[in-house]
Amino acid sequence: MSNVLRVKLPLMIISIILVVIFTEYFLILPSSISNFVSELQQWIVILAAFAIVLGAFNLVKIHLPKISKSKEISDKFLNAWLIAIMTITIVIGLIYGTTSSQYTFIFTNLLSPVSTAVWSIMAFYFCGAVLRTFRARNLESTVLIISTFLVASGNAPAITAFIPWYENLKTWIMNVPNVSAMRGMIIATGIGVLFTGVKMLLQVERRSTVGAGE
Amino acid sequence: MIQSGKIVQTMFLLTTIATYYYLSWLNKEKGFVPKIRKIAALDAMEEAVGRAAEMGRPVHVSPGTPGAAESIEAQTIAGLAVTSHVSRLCARNGVPVIATASRPELLPVLQEIVKEAYKAEGVGEAYNDENVRFLSDNSNAYAGGVQGIVEREECAANIIVGKLYGTANVLFGRATVAGKTIQIGGTAYYLVVPHLVVTCDYVLMGEEVFVAEAYLNQDPKQLITVFAQDIFKIISLGLLIIGLLTYSMGSNLVIDFLNT
């Protein structure tokens, strides 16, 4: 019985929903069925709304005990800070609404600067990663280094001012080998996505749905 | 009645299903099992978990950072399969696995997948619910959270396969600079692949992400879908070349055919 509930039923539901969605996409059907499919696609929003409560509980469950358990004072403070900020944001959102000036204040004065800081850190990580990676170990990495050098220096006005054709070389690298490689990847990815759908429809894809313990 | 402009698409879908059934028949009747070339990033997962076992450190794993409208999409599904595999390897070797979710709706799926992996290895009691965590649905906050976990908990491996965006650099960046963690990344999003190439030790790029489950399980049913995928890739390439030639000669034959 548990195998039916845990394995067969979820796979069956996925297959039925996929058949309904595929059919609605390809065939001309009565508007009632099309409306049902649109409704079905909206369900993800409802599921996500329920799940956010679950996510918040998970954060509290993990970080609240850490306030007392942590040995270092900085850890205690950071866990308490997370819980406090989360509670304040939820309370303000519930009382004043998410478009209120109080809620917007938290967003623009707390979240945005921190997010910008994360993005700015990326530049330093990128330099470190490039220094570590860009070694001419084989033909591929040598081509990568040469093309990176050409494109990066092609963006420098000082070089293109003295060598005008250099910018055309950079544009050629970006528009011809780069775009053709990207398009090849897009086509292969598209086929991969199609086959993921087909695998789920035919119940071949099971790990992500019912886990490893089948 | 098929919608106008979708006849070829419908035929394409039906042909993929027919090809799968034909190859399954070949497998059953003649024992046909396709082989997959070596994929270093997938082979390295076992090595990464083995190293974590030797060092007595945990492994961080995640199915990527999908956006709100795509929380359970093809790449995330592939990422969940990788999460399941890594969790199973960790359970087998007694390595704690820390799985993080960037979308709240992914959390229960992730909890179930990790728990099932532990049960499958016969160590269900070793599963720790606190090691499956939701961090944030803000990609910057999530990236910061992952970076913190990898550094504070001294993870021996950081494995993230799924939909990734610009913050991929931050997800892997700190540990790349420190150089103490084996990092395996994978995405089919072509703009993020260069980020992974410079920050990760092993990379799954493009369609490799979608064949991960078949490669890791070596299940004939899954391997058949990979073979069918390759057949359709060759067909697409053929159409591309014919389209290029006919279009160069002033004909819209292939474009009109695909829009039928």
Side-chain angles (χ1 to χ4, degrees):
Chain A
M1 183 62 187
S2 73
N3 193 47
V4 172
L5 279 177
R6 206 179 51 78
V7 179
K8 289 188 177 164
L9 193 64
L11 290 172
M12 194 57 75
I13 291 170
I14 289 169
S15 294
I16 292 168
I17 288 175
L18 278 170
V19 166
V20 170
I21 288 175
F22 277 152
T23 314
E24 194 271 341
Y25 179 77
F26 290 116
L27 303 181
I28 300 165
L29 297 170
S31 60
S32 57
I33 297 176
S34 302
N35 291 341
F36 170 70
V37 171
S38 305
E39 189 79 8
L40 207 61
Q41 285 164 344
Q42 293 298 317
W43 284 10
I44 186 75
V45 180
I46 301 165
L47 284 171
F50 275 112
I52 195 84
V53 180
L54 198 72
F57 271 117
N58 183 267
L59 280 172
V60 173
K61 192 178 140 190
I62 287 165
H63 293 278
L64 199 60
K66 280 188 182 174
I67 298 172
S68 55
K69 278 184 198 168
S70 298
K71 284 171 189 163
E72 286 188 30
I73 193 81
S74 61
D75 284 351
K76 280 181 193 288
F77 171 74
L78 289 172
N79 284 304
W81 181 247
L82 186 138
I83 301 288
I85 290 292
M86 194 175 78
T87 313
I88 291 167
T89 312
I90 291 171
V91 170
I92 287 177
L94 288 173
I95 295 172
Y96 299 105
T98 51
T99 50
S100 65
S101 58
Q102 292 89 338
Y103 195 85
T104 319
F105 177 85
I106 295 176
F107 196 83
T108 46
N109 293 291
L110 283 175
L111 192 65
S112 293
V114 174
S115 291
T116 313
V118 170
W119 275 99
S120 61
I121 290 167
M122 211 184 281
F124 296 101
Y125 287 156
F126 212 80
C127 290
V130 163
L131 285 173
R132 181 173 168 266
T133 315
F134 282 11
R135 287 180 193 137
R137 284 167 292 198
N138 49 36
L139 183 67
E140 287 92 340
S141 54
T142 313
V143 171
L144 185 75
I145 293 166
I146 293 168
S147 56
T148 307
F149 175 76
L150 291 173
V151 172
S153 53
N155 281 324
I159 293 175
T160 49
F162 288 106
I163 317 167
W165 56 265
Y166 203 89
E167 196 170 355
N168 294 339
L169 178 70
K170 180 207 87 181
T171 313
W172 182 83
I173 292 171
M174 290 303 287
N175 289 350
V176 181
N178 182 44
V179 170
S180 57
M182 281 203 302
R183 286 192 182 153
M185 200 180 265
I186 292 168
I187 292 169
T189 302
I191 295 169
V193 172
L194 171 74
F195 269 85
T196 305
V198 170
K199 279 195 284 184
M200 297 205 83
L201 180 74
L202 303 174
Q203 302 185 0
V204 179
E205 172 75 51
R206 297 163 94 93
R207 272 270 178 117
S208 55
T209 322
V210 293
E214 202 182 336
Chain B
M1 181 93 175
I2 299 172
Q3 287 188 31
S4 74
K6 290 182 180 171
I7 294 169
V8 172
Q9 287 182 36
T10 313
M11 292 304 136
F12 205 78
L13 177 71
L14 294 176
T15 319
T16 55
I17 297 170
T19 310
Y20 169 75
Y21 279 115
Y22 173 68
L23 293 170
S24 296
W25 176 82
L26 272 183
N27 171 256
K28 204 180 259 181
E29 296 295 318
K30 300 185 177 173
F32 169 73
V33 181
K35 282 186 181 137
I36 298 186
R37 67 173 168 83
K38 285 263 175 203
I39 301 175
L42 294 171
D43 290 333
M45 285 177 188
E46 201 157 344
E47 178 200 329
V49 174
R51 182 172 170 266
E54 281 171 16
M55 296 168 90
R57 288 186 189 167
V59 167
H60 170 258
V61 62
S62 163
T65 54
E70 53 193 12
S71 52
I72 307 284
E73 56 101 76
Q75 289 187 62
T76 314
I77 287 164
L80 288 169
V82 169
T83 304
S84 173
H85 176 76
V86 172
S87 306
R88 211 169 162 172
L89 285 175
C90 287
R92 196 180 301 158
N93 291 289
V95 174
V97 60
I98 301 171
T100 58
S102 64
R103 295 288 314 162
E105 57 269 32
L106 270 178
L107 181 68
V109 184
L110 216 52
Q111 283 172 331
E112 201 58 30
I113 278 176
V114 178
K115 196 189 285 178
E116 285 298 327
Y118 273 80
K119 278 186 191 167
E121 289 298 321
V123 286
E125 70 288 345
Y127 168 73
N128 183 358
D129 207 30
E130 284 185 7
N131 280 348
V132 185
R133 305 170 192 172
F134 165 67
L135 299 181
S136 173
D137 58 358
N138 177 302
S139 59
N140 292 320
Y142 178 78
V146 167
Q147 204 179 93
I149 286 172
V150 171
E151 189 157 330
R152 269 194 313 274
E153 314 215 9
E154 296 182 324
C155 293
N158 184 19
I159 302 169
I160 307 177
V161 176
K163 187 101 185 199
L164 295 172
Y165 287 104
T167 48
N169 208 340
V170 183
L171 284 169
F172 294 105
R174 179 74 190 92
T176 306
V177 175
K180 291 175 187 167
T181 310
I182 287 190
Q183 305 214 85
I184 302 170
T187 189
Y189 188 38
Y190 58 93
L191 292 176
V192 178
V193 171
H195 291 248
L196 300 187
V197 169
V198 293
T199 51
C200 294
D201 298 295
Y202 298 95
V203 182
L204 282 172
M205 51 178 94
E207 59 185 310
E208 286 177 346
V209 169
F210 302 109
V211 303
E213 190 180 356
Y215 185 88
L216 296 168
N217 294 345
Q218 291 293 316
D219 171 20
K221 274 186 182 178
Q222 295 263 358
L223 292 171
I224 281 167
T225 61
V226 178
F227 190 73
Q229 210 168 307
D230 278 354
I231 293 174
F232 280 86
K233 221 178 351 175
I234 292 165
I235 293 171
S236 303
L237 194 67
L239 278 171
L240 200 75
I241 293 166
I242 296 167
L244 191 73
L245 292 174
T246 52
Y247 192 73
S248 303
M249 288 187 283
S251 165
N252 283 344
L253 189 77
V254 175
I255 297 170
D256 292 340
F257 169 72
L258 291 174
N259 285 329
T260 309

